[in-house]
Amino acid sequence: MGKVLRRKIDTYLSEWKNNPSRKPLIVKGARQIGKTLSIEHFAKSNYKSVIQINFVEQPKYKSIFNDGFEVDAIVKNISLLNPDFTFIEGNTLFFFDEMQACSDCATSLKFFKLDGRFDVICSGSLMGLNYSEITSNSVGYKEDYEMYSMDFEEFLWAKGYDEGFVDELFRHMKEVKPLSDLQMQVMTDLFRDYVSIGGMPEVVNTYITNKNFSGTLSIQRQLLSDYQEDITKYAEGLDKAKVKAVYNHISTFLAKENKRFQVTKIGKNARNRDYIGCVEWLADAGIVNVCYCMNYPELPLKGNYDHKRYKLYFKDTGLLIASLDEESQEDLRANKNLNTYKGAIYENIVGDMLSKQGYQLYYYSSDKPSVEMDFFVRDADSLIPIEVKTADGATASLNKLLKGEKYPDIRHGIKFCFKNIGFNGSFYTFPYFMAFLLKRFLMQRI
C-alpha cells in the first residue's frame, strides 16, 4: 500500500498519549477504514517496544488470559508464546488488534489500567464487536474512539492541501464571502473525485498513486464483496439472507424519487416485522447511515421520529458508486454524469459528511402541507433544515419551513448545491464541498 495517509485519529492519539491519566483505548469502526495502519504508525513513532497481537490472525494468543487477568500473568504467557517481545515499563504499548475475536481482552483492560505500567490500544471491527458485552466488562477503565473512512478534509490532506487551505475555505464560509471562480472550479473538481472514490484508504491511496481512477473500482467492488462475506460470518441471531437483502437494495431505493427504504418491497410477502434488527445490525456494523423521518419539524430531535420510516445511505459514497450498474459507473467516470442517481449520490455524501461530524440523521416528509426536507440538524437553540439540491430549482419546502408560523424552532436554513456562498436573509447557500465544515460554522457563526 502507498504512503501512510494523515488521519484525524493521529491528533487524537497524540493527545491521548500526553494525558497522564489516560485509560486503555478502544478504537472501533467498520473494517478496512485504516484503524490498524494509523495505530501502527503512531506506535512505531512513540514507543520503544510494541506488543502487537491480532486475535484473528494469531488465535493462539487468546490463551494469554487463561491464567487470569493480572498483568504479570498476561506478560508471562505472551513471553512463553514469543520470547522476542520486550516489556519496558513506561515505554511499551500493547496493541490488541481484532479484539472482537477475544472477549477476554476487554476484561483485561481494567487490570492494565490499575497496574499502570503499560499503555494499551485495542482495535475492533464493528461487525464482530459485541460492544455491549465489552462495555460491561470494562466500564470506567477504557476510552472509546470511533473511526470512519476518510472525510473530505482528510482527502484534501492526501491531495497535498493543508490546514491553511481549509482555514481559508472556512473564513469564506464564516464571513459569507463568495469564493473566486478558480477556487470554485478547483474545489468542485476535487469534490467530484471524492464523490467517485469515497474515503476508503486503500482506494484513496490507489487514486493518489496512479493520479487517476484506474484500479479504484475493482478495490471498491472487493470491499462490497468483503462486507457481504462479513454479514455471513458475523450477523449472529439474524436471518443472514434478510440482512443481505437489505444491504443489496440500498442503491435501488435511493434511485427512487422519495428515496425511502421500504422493506415490504424487497421481496414477495416481505414484512417489516421479519426484518427487525437487520437495519440496526448494518448501522451498528458501520456499513450504513440510517436517516429517520421526523414526526414534526420541532425540537427536540431525539425521540421525535418514526422508527418505521427511514432512508438508508452507504457510510462511504464510493461504495454506493461501486454498487451501481456498469453503465452508470462508466458515465460517471468518463462524463462526470450522475444520471438517475444524481440526487441519491449527493444526498448520500452530504448525509455521510454530517454523520462524520457526529450528527444523527433526520429528514421530514409531509403531504399536508406538502413539505420535503432532506436533513435536519440543530444548534444551541434552533432547528436547521438542510436542503440538498442537484439543480437550481425553487426551494419551496425550505421557504415553507422558514416562513410558516407553525415552525417556531426554525429560524434559518441551509442549502447545499453547486452554487457559490450566499445568504438571502432566510437561508445560507453553500457549495456541496463545504458540508464537512458545517458543525464548525454553526459553532462559530457570527
Side-chain angles (χ1 to χ4, degrees):
M1 192 169 167
K3 64 178 183 177
V4 176
L5 296 167
R6 180 185 168 198
R7 304 295 302 275
K8 290 184 174 175
I9 193 176
D10 301 343
T11 303
Y12 182 90
L13 290 172
S14 294
E15 290 171 353
W16 173 81
K17 174 86 165 64
N18 291 330
N19 179 359
S21 58
R22 63 188 169 274
K23 298 174 181 177
L25 176 65
I26 297 178
V27 178
K28 52 181 182 160
R31 61 174 286 158
Q32 302 188 38
I33 55 168
K35 299 185 297 295
T36 300
L37 206 64
S38 291
I39 296 166
E40 285 175 343
H41 180 63
F42 163 77
K44 284 172 191 166
S45 308
N46 287 277
Y47 293 89
K48 284 185 179 174
S49 179
V50 180
I51 313 300
Q52 183 169 351
I53 292 169
N54 183 311
F55 289 114
V56 168
E57 293 176 5
Q58 303 163 296
K60 66 182 180 181
Y61 279 96
K62 293 179 190 178
S63 64
I64 62 177
F65 306 110
N66 284 358
D67 296 323
F69 296 100
E70 292 296 328
V71 172
D72 284 335
I74 295 168
V75 166
K76 180 183 173 187
N77 284 336
I78 292 174
S79 299
L80 283 169
L81 290 169
N82 186 346
D84 293 332
F85 279 136
T86 56
F87 304 88
I88 306 163
E89 291 185 17
N91 215 328
T92 295
L93 176 74
F94 284 78
F95 174 23
F96 295 128
D97 203 358
E98 304 286 8
M99 71 176 297
Q100 75 276 2
C102 180
S103 58
D104 281 341
C105 175
T107 309
S108 74
L109 300 185
K110 174 181 177 179
F111 297 87
F112 274 104
K113 170 59 182 164
L114 294 172
D115 181 273
R117 287 177 290 163
F118 307 108
D119 287 349
V120 182
I121 297 179
C122 304
S123 172
S125 160
L126 289 170
M127 280 198 167
L129 201 52
N130 185 342
Y131 205 69
S132 57
E133 180 186 337
I134 283 170
T135 300
S136 64
N137 282 0
S138 53
V139 65
Y141 297 97
K142 64 171 178 58
E143 285 182 41
D144 299 303
Y145 182 90
E146 184 159 359
M147 195 172 170
Y148 306 97
S149 65
M150 295 171 71
D151 68 13
F152 187 51
E153 186 169 10
E154 290 171 318
F155 176 80
L156 290 174
W157 294 345
K159 288 287 287 182
Y161 297 94
D162 62 10
E163 282 93 344
F165 180 82
V166 174
D167 287 344
E168 173 67 7
L169 281 179
F170 179 69
R171 187 177 65 79
H172 279 265
M173 191 180 197
K174 186 179 177 183
E175 296 174 7
V176 197
K177 179 184 171 185
L179 298 163
S180 70
D181 289 346
L182 179 61
Q183 285 173 314
M184 278 294 289
Q185 186 57 57
V186 168
M187 288 303 299
T188 298
D189 288 345
L190 284 165
F191 185 67
R192 281 194 169 126
D193 284 359
Y194 178 67
V195 169
S196 297
I197 66 170
M200 290 304 209
E202 188 182 358
V203 180
V204 173
N205 235 327
T206 301
Y207 157 84
I208 297 289
T209 303
N210 295 340
K211 298 183 171 60
N212 57 44
F213 293 122
S214 64
T216 57
L217 181 57
S218 60
I219 299 170
Q220 287 170 324
R221 288 194 171 145
Q222 184 58 51
L223 285 167
L224 283 172
S225 173
D226 289 345
Y227 278 157
Q228 288 258 25
E229 195 178 306
D230 282 341
I231 291 169
T232 304
K233 194 185 299 182
Y234 290 120
E236 293 172 10
L238 293 169
D239 185 326
K240 294 172 183 182
K242 288 187 171 70
V243 179
K244 280 187 181 178
V246 172
Y247 174 66
N248 290 329
H249 279 83
I250 296 171
S251 54
T252 307
F253 286 101
L254 286 178
K256 298 185 184 305
E257 192 173 344
N258 72 3
K259 301 180 182 62
R260 187 178 144 207
F261 198 94
Q262 293 173 276
V263 162
T264 51
K265 294 185 179 177
I266 284 181
K268 199 175 179 184
N269 300 323
R271 293 169 301 187
N272 274 305
R273 67 170 182 261
D274 296 330
Y275 286 80
I276 289 171
C278 296
V279 170
E280 287 85 349
W281 189 89
L282 288 167
D284 289 345
I287 298 173
V288 302
N289 287 319
V290 186
C291 183
Y292 288 104
C293 185
M294 295 177 68
N295 294 321
Y296 193 75
E298 64 183 3
L299 294 173
L301 286 167
K302 209 165 189 179
N304 176 25
Y305 64 88
D306 183 348
H307 72 278
K308 291 181 181 174
R309 296 178 71 201
Y310 52 85
K311 299 177 186 178
L312 292 184
Y313 299 110
F314 277 95
K315 274 269 193 195
D316 188 87
T317 299
L319 298 184
L320 167 60
I321 301 282
S323 74
L324 305 183
D325 56 70
E326 295 277 353
E327 292 74 23
S328 297
Q329 293 278 350
E330 183 56 35
D331 213 16
L332 172 66
R333 285 175 165 76
N335 308 315
K336 302 269 194 285
N337 180 16
L338 305 177
N339 219 323
T340 55
Y341 288 97
K342 186 187 291 184
I345 288 166
Y346 286 120
E347 255 188 57
N348 196 108
I349 198 151
V350 170
D352 191 45
M353 290 165 99
L354 294 176
S355 176
K356 282 172 175 165
Q357 291 169 78
Y359 288 114
Q360 297 292 316
L361 301 184
Y362 301 97
Y363 75 102
Y364 184 65
S365 177
S366 167
D367 294 330
K368 293 180 182 179
S370 177
V371 176
E372 297 278 339
M373 191 48 53
D374 301 312
F375 300 107
F376 284 88
V377 297
R378 65 166 300 170
D379 60 13
D381 57 2
S382 66
L383 184 64
I384 302 164
I386 296 176
E387 188 163 46
V388 180
K389 296 291 284 186
T390 55
D392 258 356
T395 56
S397 287
L398 192 51
N399 284 326
K400 280 179 190 174
L401 288 169
L402 290 165
K403 292 172 182 172
E405 293 179 4
K406 292 187 281 187
Y407 314 110
D409 290 336
I410 298 173
R411 294 180 193 130
H412 67 273
I414 289 168
K415 176 178 151 188
F416 286 114
C417 54
F418 272 132
K419 289 188 74 175
N420 214 323
I421 298 168
F423 182 60
N424 66 1
S426 295
F427 62 84
Y428 295 89
T429 299
F430 295 122
Y432 290 117
F433 55 76
M434 284 189 149
F436 78 100
L437 292 166
L438 182 65
K439 194 163 203 171
R440 187 173 164 188
F441 171 74
L442 294 176
M443 289 174 75
Q444 297 187 33
R445 199 156 38 98
I446 299 166

